[in-house]
Amino acid sequence: MLNKLPTADLKKTGKLCSKHCRQDFSDNISTTMVPNQNEVDAIRAMTEIGLPDKAVRTRLKELLKMYADDWSHIERENYRALADYIFECEEHKEPDTNKVKESSFRAAPQLQLIHDVEASSSEGEVKPLSCKRRAQNEVFTPQLHLRDKRKEPVSKKSCLRVEKSEHPQPEVKCKKPISCQFSRKQILDSKRSSVICLSNQKSNVHLDPKSKELTSGHAQLEVPISGIQPIDSSPVRNEENWLGHKVHSDSKKKNEGDCATDHQRRPGSTMENASIRESSSSDLEIASSELGEVKVSLHCNDALERPDFSRPDLDAILRMPEEKCLKSYKIMDPNFSIKKLMKDLCHYYLNAETKTQKNKGKGLVNAVQPPVPLKNSSVNPEANHVHDLTILESSVKSSLNSRTQIPRLLSRDGLGFPSNIVHPAEKVLVKTKGGNDDKDIPECSQLSKSRSLVVFNQRECNLDGTRPPHNVADISKGAERVKIPLASEFAYILEGLVKEKFLDECISLYQNPQKHTHIYCKDCPNERSKNEDLPGKCKGHLMRKFIKECWSKCGCDIQCGNRVVQRGITCNLEVFLTGEGKGWGIRSLENLPRGAFVCEYVGEIVTNTELYERNLRNSGNKRHTYPVTLDADWGSEAGLKDEKALCLDATVYGNVARFINHRCSDATLIDIPVEIETPDHHYYHIAFFTSRNVEALEELTWDYGIDFQDHAHPIEAFQCLCGSKGC
Ligand SMILES: C[S@@+](CC[C@H](N)C(=O)[O-])C[C@H]1O[C@@H](n2cnc3c(N)ncnc32)[C@H](O)[C@@H]1O
C-alpha cells in the first residue's frame, strides 16, 4: 500500500489551491514551474514508488484534464488512479519509447505490491484506467492471502502488477487492478500491505479470474490446482515458452485468452498467484485459490541451460533437503526459510544430475527418461527438464475422514485479531475463543516455531491418505539381487492412527504403572533438582514404549505412512477459555478417532542443571508450565549423569500444547515418546495422541503425572479443578 501522504493535513491547513487554481496549474505543469502542494504530494508519492519524475508530471497533467481537475479522484487511495494511469501509459508507448520506459522502470526497486482491489472498490468510485486497457504482455494476479476459509478474507480479490514479459501473455480481466513498484523499505514499513512477492528480476504471474465459482467435490482434488506459468526472462528464448519450447502461434493465441492451461487449472477455483525470482537459477511461485489451496512451485531454470541435462531421481532429491531439515530439527535454525529450502532443493537437483553425468562418463548421451511426475504435483507434461515441486496447504476434504480438513494459516495481522495463535510453522489454524480483546489472548509472541517439518505435498500427508510405510517387501527397492524385507512393525496403521495394541500398552503404563518395569537411578537427577545437597531416593522411571518414525536414512519420503508426528498438526484445534477456572484449554473442532496424533509438546530441551538454575532465577515468579522430563529411556544408561538428564521446558518457547490442561483420570490425550530424526533416546519428541474417541469441542486433556502431594517439587502444584473421578 502506498504510504499515506500528508494531503489531508494540508487540506486542514488550507494550503490546497482552489479548484480554479488547480485548473491553472494543471494546464501548466512543468519542471520549471513551482508546483503547488497537490502536485508536490502527487509527485512525491509516485517517485517514492519508483516512478520517474518526468513521467509522473506528464501523466499527472493528462489525468487532471481527464478528471476535470478534480484532485479528489487523483488523491484518493494514495494516488491509486495516477499510479495506474502512469503504468497504463507506459505500457502503451511505441516500441522505441518502450526502451526508455523499460530502463527507467527497471531502475526502480523491483519489489511488487499487491493491492486489495475489492476493498478499495467498495470505498469509492475510483475507476482505475487500467483494466480494460491492460497490455497483453502484462498480467495481474490477486494477492496470496493465507487465510482461514471459514472467515471472510480481508481482501477477496487483489491484484498484483508485474513487469512486462517479453512474451505476450494473456489479458486478464481483473476488476480493479492497481499496481505499483515499491522499495523494500516501503513495503516493510507498510503495515497494511499484503506483500508476498519479492523480485529482483522480471517475473510474470498469471490469473484466471474467470473460473471463479466455487465448487466442491473430491474429483477436483485430482486436478492440479494451479495456473502458474513462470516466464522466461532470457532474451535468447523470446520465441520459446518458459520451458524453452517453441511457442506456436496457436498456443499463443490460446494463452492470450486464457492464461491457465486446461490441465493446470482446476475447475471452480480462482488461483491467486505470485512469483518470486531471486536469481536466474530458480523461480519460486506461490499460488492460492479461493478453494483454499496453496501451491508453491519451484522451477529450476539452470537445467534449461544445459542441453545434456537429464533428470535425476526425484525421490532422492526430495530426501536431500529433508535430511538437511532433519539435522537441524532439534533446534530450528532461526534463518530457516522455505525459499532457502527451495533453492537448496534446486541446488541438489542440479548437483545430483551433475553427479549422474559424471558417473555415466563423458560423451555418454542420456537416454530420455520417462516423465516421473511428483505425486499430485502439477508437472507440465511438456516439461522435459523442469519439475514442479508442490507444497500444498490444502483444505482437502477426505472422503474417508473429516478430521483431515486442513484450513489455511492466518496470520495475526490478517483479520486484525488473532485467529491463529500458533506460529505459522503450524500447518493448521488454531482458533482462539473466549475473549474478543487481544489482552485476553494468551501470550503469542513466545509461541515458538513448531518443530513440525515443512510438508511437501500436503495432500499426500493427510492421515487418511492410505500410504503404506515404505516398500516393506524390499527396502532396497530392487537395488540388490535379493529382496530385503522390512520386518519392523510400525506403530501406525494406514490411516495414521497409533495401533490399538501399542496404544493400549502406552495407556496401561499410565493407568497401572506398578505393573510395568521401573528403572531406579542411584543418583536421580529429578531428586537432585529438588534438593541438590540431600537428594531423595529415586522414585523410579517407567520404561516407556517409543514410536520410531521413519527418518532420512530410511529411504522413504515425508509422505511415508510412518511419518506422522513429523508432519505436524493436521486436526483443527481451538484454544478456548475453560469454564472451570482452569484458564485456557484446547479442544478439537472435529471428532477425533482413538490413536490420532494431535500435537507435539514443544519446548526448549534443557538439562536438569539448566532447569534448576532457571527455577532459581524465576523463584519470584510463578511458573505455569511444568517441565516434562525426558526420562523415557533413562534405564538404558548406567549411572545417568546430571548433564544428560534432559527435560522439555515450555515456559518461554512452546506451541499450542502449552494450553493442554491436566486431568487426573480419563484424560483424552496420552503422550508417547517419538523418535524421529535420531535413534538417540535422549532427544526424543513427545507427541500427544488421543487415548479414546474424542468428540468435537470436547476438551483435550492430559495427565501431567504430577504428584500433588510432593511439596518438595520446585514448581508449586495448582489446585486441580479437572473434576474427574480420580481427582
Ligand atoms: C500448561 S498450562 C495449561 C494452560 C493454562 N490453563 C493456561 O491458561 O495457559 C498449566 C496450568 O494450567 C492450569 N491448569 C491446568 N490443568 C488444571 C486443572 N486440572 N485444574 C486447575 N488448573 C489447571 C494450572 O494453572 C497449570 O499451572
Side-chain angles (χ1 to χ4, degrees):
M1 295 288 170
L2 290 173
N3 289 338
K4 196 75 192 156
L5 291 166
T7 318
D9 294 339
L10 289 167
K11 275 181 185 151
K12 273 183 218 149
T13 54
K15 283 184 187 169
L16 288 179
C17 296
S18 67
K19 192 180 173 187
H20 177 70
C21 166
R22 281 184 225 129
Q23 175 67 61
D24 292 341
F25 156 74
S26 68
D27 285 336
N28 293 288
I29 292 173
S30 78
T31 48
T32 53
M33 276 196 67
V34 179
N36 74 3
Q37 196 58 48
N38 296 42
E39 185 196 6
V40 171
D41 290 343
I43 292 169
R44 190 193 308 143
M46 294 300 100
T47 50
E48 276 181 6
I49 61 167
L51 298 176
D53 183 278
K54 200 177 162 202
V56 174
R57 286 167 189 275
T58 313
R59 301 308 170 197
L60 178 58
K61 185 178 166 183
E62 292 166 11
L63 204 59
L64 273 168
K65 273 190 181 170
M66 282 185 227
Y67 281 134
D69 292 320
D70 189 343
W71 274 90
S72 65
H73 284 308
I74 293 167
E75 288 168 356
R76 185 170 294 151
E77 293 180 65
N78 289 314
Y79 306 96
R80 171 197 171 114
L82 177 59
D84 213 14
Y85 180 59
I86 296 168
F87 277 113
E88 284 305 305
C89 294
E90 291 301 319
E91 290 153 12
H92 287 82
K93 273 187 174 177
E94 295 303 312
D96 54 338
T97 55
N98 265 348
K99 278 183 196 162
V100 179
K101 172 241 146 184
E102 279 194 14
S103 61
S104 62
F105 273 65
R106 264 191 214 145
Q110 305 249 329
L111 287 167
Q112 287 139 6
L113 172 78
I114 300 150
H115 276 250
D116 181 345
V117 171
E118 200 143 302
S120 59
S121 69
S122 62
E123 281 169 26
E125 337 67 285
V126 174
K127 301 267 187 276
L129 305 167
S130 57
C131 283
K132 287 277 175 330
R133 293 182 278 114
R134 181 81 46 228
Q136 282 195 341
N137 43 3
E138 177 194 11
V139 286
F140 288 83
T141 190
Q143 81 182 81
L144 172 88
H145 39 89
L146 299 177
R147 62 180 169 82
D148 179 3
K149 278 177 55 177
R150 293 166 294 189
K151 298 202 183 297
E152 275 301 295
V154 176
S155 58
K156 286 177 184 165
K157 193 168 282 295
S158 341
C159 287
L160 161 72
R161 181 188 294 253
V162 293
E163 271 193 90
K164 281 175 72 176
S165 157
E166 283 160 20
H167 306 299
Q169 297 294 343
E171 175 177 348
V172 175
K173 289 171 189 120
C174 188
K175 256 166 101 186
K176 291 193 174 188
I178 183 72
S179 57
C180 294
Q181 290 170 308
F182 270 66
S183 73
R184 185 180 186 81
K185 187 177 176 305
Q186 280 173 311
I187 286 188
L188 294 176
D189 286 350
S190 169
K191 287 190 180 139
R192 289 176 59 214
S193 67
S194 315
V195 176
I196 52 155
C197 187
L198 303 178
S199 172
N200 49 18
Q201 291 202 12
K202 291 193 303 175
S203 57
N204 247 5
V205 288
H206 299 246
L207 158 75
D208 179 15
K210 284 180 287 186
S211 53
K212 192 168 185 291
E213 64 284 355
L214 297 175
T215 58
S216 58
H218 300 122
Q220 284 182 10
L221 305 180
E222 310 305 323
V223 186
I225 61 165
S226 173
I228 296 176
Q229 283 189 331
I231 62 150
D232 170 15
S233 63
S234 163
V236 296
R237 288 202 300 268
N238 55 6
E239 283 306 306
E240 298 169 341
N241 65 11
W242 61 283
L243 295 169
H245 291 189
K246 290 275 178 224
V247 176
H248 302 295
S249 51
D250 281 353
S251 61
K252 268 187 184 176
K253 241 181 191 173
K254 183 179 188 300
N255 282 345
E256 280 167 17
D258 185 356
C259 60
T261 58
D262 291 343
H263 79 277
Q264 284 175 311
R265 193 181 340 108
R266 181 173 160 174
S269 89
T270 303
M271 294 305 301
E272 302 174 347
N273 307 339
S275 164
I276 297 169
R277 177 173 283 197
E278 280 272 294
S279 73
S280 61
S281 60
S282 61
D283 283 339
L284 177 59
E285 295 193 348
I286 306 167
S288 72
S289 82
E290 289 176 359
L291 290 180
E293 310 113 320
V294 177
K295 176 185 171 180
V296 179
S297 303
L298 174 71
H299 305 274
C300 203
N301 296 331
D302 279 357
L304 291 169
E305 311 294 333
R306 301 190 193 170
D308 59 340
F309 190 87
S310 72
R311 191 159 45 199
D313 173 39
L314 283 177
D315 279 342
I317 303 297
L318 283 171
R319 277 197 301 277
M320 292 178 191
E322 278 168 29
E323 198 168 348
K324 189 177 168 181
C325 261
L326 288 167
K327 274 182 187 158
S328 56
Y329 188 43
K330 270 174 267 173
I331 301 159
M332 203 71 171
D333 177 1
N335 297 321
F336 175 84
S337 81
I338 300 285
K339 224 159 75 176
K340 196 167 165 296
L341 184 79
M342 298 293 260
K343 287 175 95 176
D344 282 352
L345 198 63
C346 218
H347 172 79
Y348 296 134
Y349 182 81
L350 291 166
N351 271 5
E353 198 274 341
T354 308
K355 278 181 202 154
T356 318
Q357 292 287 339
K358 277 184 189 156
N359 290 343
K360 283 178 183 170
K362 275 188 176 176
L364 205 66
V365 179
N366 290 324
V368 177
Q369 295 177 21
V372 186
L374 278 175
K375 306 285 181 305
N376 286 323
S377 69
S378 58
V379 175
N380 189 320
E382 284 186 307
N384 282 333
H385 299 309
V386 179
H387 303 288
D388 284 355
L389 177 69
T390 306
I391 298 176
L392 296 175
E393 295 270 6
S394 173
S395 62
V396 176
K397 286 191 183 117
S398 160
S399 54
L400 298 172
N401 187 343
S402 65
R403 63 182 287 271
T404 54
Q405 200 174 0
I406 300 173
R408 306 283 201 79
L409 293 173
L410 180 66
S411 73
R412 192 181 171 87
D413 293 334
L415 290 179
F417 67 92
S419 289
N420 182 8
I421 62 157
V422 174
H423 190 279
E426 304 288 13
K427 296 185 300 303
V428 290
L429 184 79
V430 181
K431 283 177 65 185
T432 50
K433 203 165 186 178
N436 296 325
D437 192 35
D438 259 19
K439 287 177 215 139
D440 294 339
I441 305 301
E443 285 173 51
C444 302
S445 58
Q446 290 177 341
L447 289 166
S448 78
K449 274 185 184 178
S450 157
R451 293 191 295 189
S452 314
L453 288 180
V454 171
V455 175
F456 291 93
N457 219 329
Q458 182 68 57
R459 258 191 285 184
E460 290 251 322
C461 297
N462 289 333
L463 295 183
D464 53 2
T466 50
R467 171 86 183 264
H470 282 296
N471 173 4
V472 272
D474 180 16
I475 60 156
S476 81
K477 293 181 181 170
E480 306 291 349
R481 273 183 294 181
V482 289
K483 284 185 178 175
I484 305 178
L486 188 70
S488 166
E489 275 233 340
F490 295 110
Y492 304 112
I493 58 169
L494 292 183
E495 287 76 20
L497 306 174
V498 176
K499 281 179 180 167
E500 288 282 330
K501 191 167 167 258
F502 189 94
L503 195 61
D504 287 343
E505 286 170 2
C506 293
I507 293 170
S508 165
L509 280 172
Y510 266 100
Q511 289 179 344
N512 307 300
Q514 68 286 353
K515 287 188 185 164
H516 297 274
T517 314
H518 282 73
I519 301 296
Y520 294 88
C521 327
K522 277 187 197 153
D523 179 16
C524 181
N526 274 358
E527 294 303 317
R528 222 180 315 125
S529 66
K530 294 178 199 166
N531 187 341
E532 179 73 9
D533 301 325
L534 209 61
K537 221 176 142 193
C538 175
K539 293 193 172 63
H541 309 279
L542 268 175
M543 285 290 281
R544 308 274 304 272
K545 286 183 76 69
F546 277 78
I547 289 178
K548 171 81 188 109
E549 291 205 344
C550 285
W551 61 317
S552 49
K553 292 200 175 152
C554 288
C556 59
D557 58 31
I558 192 78
Q559 295 129 20
C560 165
N562 193 36
R563 291 173 184 254
V564 173
V565 172
Q566 59 192 275
R567 289 200 296 255
I569 299 172
T570 53
C571 52
N572 289 302
L573 299 176
E574 180 175 78
V575 174
F576 72 107
L577 264 182
T578 60
E580 306 88 3
K582 295 181 292 184
W584 296 93
I586 71 166
R587 59 190 177 192
S588 166
L589 297 175
E590 56 203 310
N591 294 342
L592 299 176
R594 187 176 193 256
F597 169 62
V598 171
C599 66
E600 222 188 289
Y601 188 93
V602 172
E604 287 177 271
I605 300 174
V606 295
T607 60
N608 269 27
T609 317
E610 167 65 12
L611 185 77
Y612 179 72
E613 283 163 11
R614 286 183 180 195
N615 285 339
L616 285 182
R617 283 198 297 270
N618 295 335
S619 56
N621 312 328
K622 273 203 166 179
R623 290 168 60 112
H624 289 286
T625 53
Y626 283 78
V628 177
T629 312
L630 296 174
D631 66 345
D633 199 44
W634 280 8
S636 65
E637 305 267 341
L640 190 73
K641 293 275 181 309
D642 186 51
E643 304 82 65
K644 288 181 185 170
L646 301 172
C647 59
L648 277 177
D649 183 7
T651 307
V652 181
Y653 297 100
N655 69 342
V656 70
R658 63 160 47 158
F659 299 112
I660 301 175
N661 285 319
H662 163 82
R663 190 169 171 87
C664 294
S665 61
D666 195 29
T668 43
L669 300 178
I670 182 164
D671 61 302
I672 301 180
V674 181
E675 255 176 56
I676 294 177
E677 75 281 8
T678 162
D680 184 333
H681 274 195
H682 279 109
Y683 294 98
Y684 60 86
H685 298 245
I686 291 179
F688 291 109
F689 294 87
T690 49
S691 56
R692 58 174 169 82
N693 291 342
V694 179
E695 285 189 12
L697 303 184
E698 191 178 347
E699 183 176 359
L700 295 167
T701 52
W702 169 45
D703 180 355
Y704 288 1
I706 296 176
D707 180 356
F708 282 92
Q709 309 308 321
D710 183 0
H711 301 294
H713 198 281
I715 297 162
E716 201 186 318
F718 49 87
Q719 179 76 40
C720 184
L721 299 167
C722 77
S724 69
K725 278 185 191 163
C727 182

